[in-house]
Amino acid sequence: MNKRKSIPNFIQMMEDGEKVTWITGYDYLTAKYEERAGLDMILVGDSLGMVQLGYETTFPVTMDECIEHCSAVRRGAPNTFVVGDMPYMSYQISDEEAIENAGRFIKESDCDCVKLEGGTPLIVERMKAITGAGVAAMGHIGLTPQFAGQIGGYKAQGKSAAAVKALVEQAKALEAAGAWAILVEGVPTVTGKAIKSVCKCPVYGIGAGSQTDGQLIIYADMAGFYDDFTPKFVKKYANVGEVLQNAFAEYVKDVKEKKFPEDAVHAYKIDPEEEAKVEKMIEDMKK
Ligand code: KIV
């Protein structure tokens, strides 16, 4: 049985050079298996919109949807550190709304911390407000889907010295604003290394190379479940989509061919005398 880790555990892991493992999760069953596999953290990402709810982007995802899915993950993984991802426009508008929504995440879904995308001065202010209110929060910079309109889509970031300098400044500002960790997404390895070199807090990566304190991956990508698009940084560990599709197709074939259910195996038993009475009743009812 895992014991739920806390932020001091993650700081210690960074100091010991032990990598932190996390995967996204959005539902009770997947979270249960993630916990059984011994993950350190689960992120209930707003990628929920794309990989579970069928939206084209993460923009339509609401606080209520995030809370509902995060609560299900908590029920599936009661002993794992869970990160709730603040959806688009749930924290940008004002410090008050940011605190209220971060507070809702903690109160209503029992997650352990929240994550905010972006490193602009406004987001740094919101980070300060949220952490000032006592909510543990993590920053997320680099390829930040909530900024896709500004960064030209889902493109790797931090690919020039000037761009790396800007990301380094964002990471420093978020840490100074109280972020206990920074997640870096979609940057070259050296960019991840540069950000790591200026932060005292843990720096985690998703598509940020090997030099960070831990690795995140999207569950539906690594499990071979989401096949609309596969980022370069994904390694596939399974082919769940194909396994399920084959299972569904086999079921369809079995039912059509009257091979399922088999009454001797998949049906409830009845006392033979009662069965005979029911059969007679059926015959009588036909008359
Ligand atoms: O929503 C999400 O899953 C994320 C990761 C891509 C970092 O924010």
Side-chain angles (χ1 to χ4, degrees):
M1 173 74 80
N2 303 348
K3 181 173 177 318
R4 197 194 298 186
K5 293 188 176 76
S6 62
I7 291 171
N9 297 125
F10 294 122
I11 308 280
Q12 190 62 53
M13 288 167 81
M14 173 184 72
E15 286 168 1
D16 295 345
E18 181 185 348
K19 299 275 188 186
V20 165
T21 55
W22 47 324
I23 303 183
T24 63
Y26 317 94
D27 63 90
Y28 166 78
L29 275 182
T30 311
K32 193 158 95 170
Y33 286 102
E34 289 180 333
E35 179 158 299
R36 285 183 189 168
L39 280 168
D40 296 310
M41 287 194 222
I42 297 172
L43 168 67
V44 184
D46 62 355
S47 49
L48 151 72
M50 293 166 81
V51 304
Q52 295 273 299
L53 303 178
Y55 300 135
E56 275 183 23
T57 66
T58 59
F59 294 133
V61 177
T62 65
M63 261 322 285
D64 287 342
E65 285 167 340
C66 286
I67 286 173
E68 189 171 344
H69 284 264
C70 199
S71 305
V73 165
R74 169 54 75 218
R75 289 190 288 276
N79 302 309
T80 305
F81 189 94
V82 171
V83 182
D85 204 10
M86 300 282 289
Y88 188 57
M89 290 301 150
S90 66
Y91 55 101
Q92 287 89 341
I93 293 159
S94 67
D95 283 354
E96 289 72 19
E97 270 194 44
I99 294 170
E100 188 177 335
N101 283 323
R104 277 194 69 195
F105 235 141
I106 304 286
K107 282 169 81 150
E108 296 177 36
S109 74
D110 191 25
C111 64
D112 297 284
C113 98
V114 298
K115 172 172 88 56
L116 314 188
E117 282 185 30
T120 61
L122 183 136
I123 304 299
V124 171
E125 273 311 301
R126 300 292 180 261
M127 176 65 76
K128 203 168 167 187
I130 288 172
T131 59
V135 176
M138 184 187 279
H140 174 183
I141 58 174
L143 196 179
T144 41
Q146 291 185 25
F147 285 75
Q150 283 184 341
I151 63 178
Y154 292 15
K155 287 188 182 149
Q157 301 294 303
K159 292 179 81 172
S160 67
V164 174
K165 192 164 184 301
L167 287 175
V168 158
E169 292 309 321
Q170 290 184 2
K172 288 198 307 198
L174 287 165
E175 184 173 20
W180 75 269
I182 308 289
L183 172 67
V184 185
E185 176 171 357
V187 300
T189 304
V190 73
T191 307
K193 185 176 175 185
I195 294 166
K196 168 78 197 132
S197 73
V198 296
C199 290
K200 291 193 181 67
C201 69
V203 173
Y204 302 126
I206 171 165
S210 58
Q211 303 297 304
T212 57
D213 298 306
Q215 291 294 328
L216 168 68
I217 197 162
I218 294 194
Y219 132 77
D221 289 336
M222 63 85 71
F225 209 177
Y226 184 77
D227 63 2
D228 291 6
F229 167 72
T230 305
K232 175 181 169 55
F233 53 78
V234 167
K235 179 172 174 184
K236 269 195 192 176
Y237 288 84
N239 221 331
V240 169
E242 197 178 304
V243 169
L244 274 180
Q245 188 178 323
N246 288 342
F248 297 150
E250 230 179 289
Y251 166 78
V252 168
K253 188 165 174 286
D254 269 5
V255 174
K256 298 279 185 200
E257 293 177 359
K258 304 185 173 99
K259 289 184 179 154
F260 174 83
E262 289 177 59
D263 286 334
V265 184
H266 307 113
Y268 295 106
K269 302 270 177 292
I270 184 170
D271 181 87
E273 268 179 35
E274 291 302 307
E275 186 170 2
K277 284 186 208 163
V278 177
E279 290 289 4
K280 182 168 181 313
M281 206 189 299
I282 294 168
E283 285 309 311
D284 291 347
M285 284 188 296
K286 282 186 195 161
K287 287 174 194 161

